[in-house]
Structures are given as C-alpha cells and as structure tokens.
C-alpha cells in the first residue's frame, strides 16, 4: 500500500517532539517523502545532499526508524535517496552507524565471525586515505598486509597520536580483505569492547566461548590496545589470543597511541610479542598534506573549498586530522543550511571558538612575567647576565615555555632574553625537557605554568 503525505506529516511531527525544534529544523525538516515510491513496507525518503544523508543516518537513524514503526506499524524498511538517485538500501537495522554509502558492497555484519566486533566505517577505505610524508609508509605497509595472501608481518602494529588516521587505515585493511578475499573472516574490535566482552565472559562463565570467537577468525584487528595495558587479566588473555592466532598463522593487526616501548604496565613478554612483527608510526601531517586532506574531504561532501579557506584551516588546525575534519563539517553544515558560500570571512567568524582554543597567543612578555613571579625572581633577570642557579634555571624554564607555547624561533627567543645566542636557547630547551622527565617537582612547576599561561 502507498504511503501518503498524511503519514509523513505524522512522522515528522513525532520526530520533532523527539529531537527538539532546533535539531529538527537543521537536519530533519529538509527530508521529504518520495511519495511516488514509498509504500507502507518500504519507506523512501528524499535527502537534499549526501552530507545531510550521512549526518542524518549517523545521528538520527534510530529515531527515524522507531518513529516510522510507531506511525506505520509493522517493520517497514527505510531508504534514502539523494536528489532522486536511489542509494542506501535498508538502513533500518544499523542503529547509530552509517552503513552503506557503499564504496564497497560488502557488509560487515554478513560474516558470521563478525558478531562481537564493531562496525566498519564505510568512509574509511584506502581510496579515501590521503598520503603524504607523514603517513606514506604506514599506508604502504597497511596495503601490503591487506593485499598479501600470505602472512608477511605478524603482528602489524600501527601507532601514533590521536586523530591521525590509525582507525581509518585499519578499516581500510578490513574493507580491502572483505572485498578481495571474501572467504576470510575478519574481526575488527575496539579494545574497550574486547575488555568488556572478556569481563562479561568471566562473569557469565563463558570464557571458552570468548576464546573460541577470537581464535576462529582469519584476521583479528584490535584498535587502541593501550586500553588493554594495565588490565592484568585481560592483558593475559590478549597475550594468549595473540600467541594462538600467530601460531596458527593468522594475521593480527593492532593500533595504539604509542609504541610498545613507551607503554607502561605492559609485561615484557607481551611487549616483545608486540614488537616481533612490523611496527609503523603514523606522524602528524605537514601543511601540504593537511590541505590535501581538507580538499579531499570537501570534495567527498560535494563542495569546493576556496584555496584561501583550505590554507587558513590547515594552517590553524595542525595537530589532528579529526579536528580539521570537524571544523570542515561545521563549515559545510552551516553553509548548506544558510545557503551561503564559504568565504574566508565567514569561516573565521563561524569557527571563532575553535581558533580561540588553538590560537591563544601567549606572548614572550607574559611568559617571562609569569615565570619570574612563580620563581620569585626579578623580571629583569630574564634579560640579565647573572648565571647563578637561582636565576639561570627559571630563565631556562621560560625559554622552554617560549618554545613550547609560541611559534617563535630559537633566535627570536634568544633575542627576547637579553640578546642570547640561539644555541643557548636550544640548550635550555633540551635541559628543561630532560629535567621534566626525571624531576617531578620541575614537571609540576611546568604544568602549573602552562596552565596559567594558556588557561
Ligand atoms: P585515529 O584512529 O588515529 O585517532 P582516525 O583514523 O579516527 O584517527 O582519523 C580521524 C579522522 O581523520 C577520520 O575521519 C579520518 O578519515 C581522518 N583522516 C586521518 N588521516 C587521514 C588521511 N590521511 N586521509 C584522509 N582522512 C584522514
Ligand atoms: Mg582510532
């Protein structure tokens, strides 16, 4: 039976109550019923852009599905079409995750071994990964692992800071294997989930099942293993799982936020096991790569980003690709809703709060003042030639903070400290860095000062 406009209005009205006026106006009001095609069993909804569709699926899929069921009864499926082209068949069974803006047809939940794992993000493929100096080695290694039908390196461990693309690359491996070696069972799981399931299996006395699940896969991927470190019983089980899989010549792929060498609370035998395969670091992308990533992400969202805006964003948000992408999402959402085009002006305005957090410019004067105050020395001692330890050390601390908290070069800093040579500043930075690692009282002073200066 056809679905009518009345049905749709009833659904919209209920949705508005559920999600609130603001969210409704921003995201759900633009949805429209495809009255030609929609039936009571098969609801077809038109969405103006791909970006809105993805957003809606990610954030409101459950609410929409529930509401459709409440109003229409039964278990209708829900489909979205973008400007008339039919996409995303049946997203009804994937609450909270965007399922099928299909770069690949494979659906993660098809493989039986995947129960217990996490969903793969359909956007995280090799194709959508932008490479540059910082990540080309990690990318090449991930690709080799995925392409090879033999075990080359085991385990493969990818590590690096937050938001640099570790999960993206890992999903890339999983998608690639699912597409090209569909018979291989791939299990992708976050460490939190691994720990949670392990604890639950202990509670329910089902540890055998737990072991079985993890040992019956061909490729095991565990994301963010630093969360396993420090949890003794889980670490033990994790170690045995690794051993078992590697003995059976099954591929293990892991990510972490630091190298095994830098992980505390990890037993030596686990550390050496982790180090026995290939360890690859993923670094912060440089400016050119950040610009390339932004342009790529903009293109995926169907917009063109003016060059000056891309440059501006990439310059200001340097440490983390996720935040760069977050800024872009805000920009895109805003301009789509207001139908404004993206310019440098409205970008600066719209993302003011982000830049304030990032670009809080601390001046050398402020640093010198705060440090002098903290160590009870005179401000002019920052510039003076006195070398007694009671003034030399605070001066070094101030130089160190100047390097950490401002974008000033060594010579510029030297100049601001009574015309000192840049090698003196370099030496100070090195000294304080080393002290920070071994002297807790200095570490505490620094933390406090950093808080005061940037807070
Ligand atoms: P991590 O797991 O290292 O914290 P993610 O893999 O979750 O980081 O990446 C954060 C976001 O940044 C994701 O949306 C991802 O698509 C994006 N990203 C990171 N690096 C790249 C890259 N080189 N090319 C394209 N997107 C990237
Ligand atoms: Mg991650």
């Amino acid at each position: 039976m056809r679905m009518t406009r009345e049905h749709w209005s009833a659904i919209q009205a209920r949705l508005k109550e559920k999600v609130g006026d603001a969210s409704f106006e921003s995201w759900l009001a633009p949805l429209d019923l495809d009255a030609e095609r929609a039936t009571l069993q098969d609801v077809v909804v038109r969405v103006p852009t791909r970006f809105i569709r993805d957003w809606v699926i990610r954030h409101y899929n459950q609410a929409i599905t529930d509401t459709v069921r409440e109003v229409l009864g039964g278990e209708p499926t829900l489909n979205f079409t973008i400007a008339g082209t039919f996409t995303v068949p049946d997203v009804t069974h994937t609450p909270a995750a965007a399922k099928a803006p299909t770069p690949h047809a494979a659906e993660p939940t098809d493989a039986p071994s995947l129960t217990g794992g996490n969903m793969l993000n359909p956007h995280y493929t090799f194709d959508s990964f932008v490479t540059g100096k910082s990540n080309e080695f990690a990318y090449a290694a991930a690709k080799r692992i995925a392409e090879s039908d033999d075990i080359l390196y085991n385990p493969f461990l990818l590590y690096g800071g937050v938001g640099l693309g570790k999960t993206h690359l890992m999903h890339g491996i999983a998608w690639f294997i699912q597409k090209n070696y569909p018979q291989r069972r791939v299990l992708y799981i976050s460490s939190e989930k691994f720990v949670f399931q392990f604890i639950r299996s202990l509670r329910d006395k089902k540890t055998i099942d737990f072991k079985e699940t993890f040992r019956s896969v061909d490729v095991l991927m565990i994301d963010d293993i630093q969360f396993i470190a420090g949890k003794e019983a889980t670490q033990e089980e994790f170690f045995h799982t690794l051993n078992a899989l590697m003995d059976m010549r099954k591929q293990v792929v892991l990510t972490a936020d630091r190298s095994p060498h830098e992980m505390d609370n990890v037993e030596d035998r686990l550390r050496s096991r982790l180090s026995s395969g290939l360890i690859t670091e993923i670094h912060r992308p440089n400016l050119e790569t950040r610009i390339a990533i932004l342009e790529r992400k903009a293109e995926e969202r169907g917009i063109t980003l003016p060059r000056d805006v891309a440059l501006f964003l990439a310059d200001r948000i340097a440490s983390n690709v996720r935040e760069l992408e977050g800024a872009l999402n805000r920009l895109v959402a805003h301009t789509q809703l207001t139908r404004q085009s993206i310019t440098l002006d409205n970008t600066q305005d719209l993302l003011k709060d982000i830049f304030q957090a990032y670009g809080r410019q601390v001046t050398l004067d402020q640093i010198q003042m705060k440090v002098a105050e903290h160590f009870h020395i005179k401000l002019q001692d920052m510039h003076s030639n006195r070398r007694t330890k009671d003034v030399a050390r605070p001066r070094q601390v101030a130089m160190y903070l100047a390097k950490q908290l401002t974008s000033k070069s060594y010579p510029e800093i030297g100049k601001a400290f009574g015309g000192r040579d840049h090698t003196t500043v370099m030496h100070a930075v090195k000294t304080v860095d080393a002290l920070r690692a071994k002297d807790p009282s200095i570490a505490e002073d620094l933390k406090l000062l950093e808080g005061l200066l940037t807070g």
Side-chain angles (χ1 to χ4, degrees), residues 348-404:
Q348 281 169 331
D349 197 41
L350 200 67
L351 302 177
K352 224 184 293 170
D353 54 330
I354 297 184
F355 298 136
Q356 265 161 9
Y358 265 89
R360 188 188 298 282
Q361 274 302 320
V362 183
T363 64
L364 295 180
D365 282 348
Q366 286 168 331
I367 292 172
Q368 293 177 335
M369 256 167 2
K370 273 279 177 271
V371 174
E373 204 178 292
H374 181 79
F375 290 102
H376 307 292
I377 63 168
K378 293 202 224 57
L379 180 59
Q380 67 254 35
D381 280 332
M382 288 289 162
H383 313 274
S384 76
N385 280 325
R386 286 183 54 208
R387 287 168 180 233
T388 52
K389 200 170 168 194
D390 59 323
V391 298
R393 184 51 45 81
R395 201 189 287 133
Q396 287 183 318
V397 165
M399 291 181 195
Y400 168 88
L401 288 170
K403 190 65 202 158
Q404 302 300 318

Side-chain angles (χ1 to χ4, degrees), residues 2 4 7 31 33 45 59 68 70 110 157 198 245 258 273 291 332 355 432:
R2 283 238 173 276
T4 64
H7 287 127
L31 307 189
L33 181 70
V45 176
H59 295 92
V68 164
E70 282 160 29
D110 285 347
L157 171 63
F198 176 66
L245 284 168
R258 67 201 83 170
R273 193 86 261 211
I291 293 173
V332 173
F355 298 136
V432 175

Side-chain angles (χ1 to χ4, degrees), residues 124 128-130 135 163-168 297 321-322 325:
Y124 292 178
S128 64
F129 193 82
V130 177
N135 59 24
L164 299 183
K166 301 182 296 293
T167 298
H168 187 138
K297 302 267 175 196
V321 181
R322 184 174 300 131
E325 196 174 353

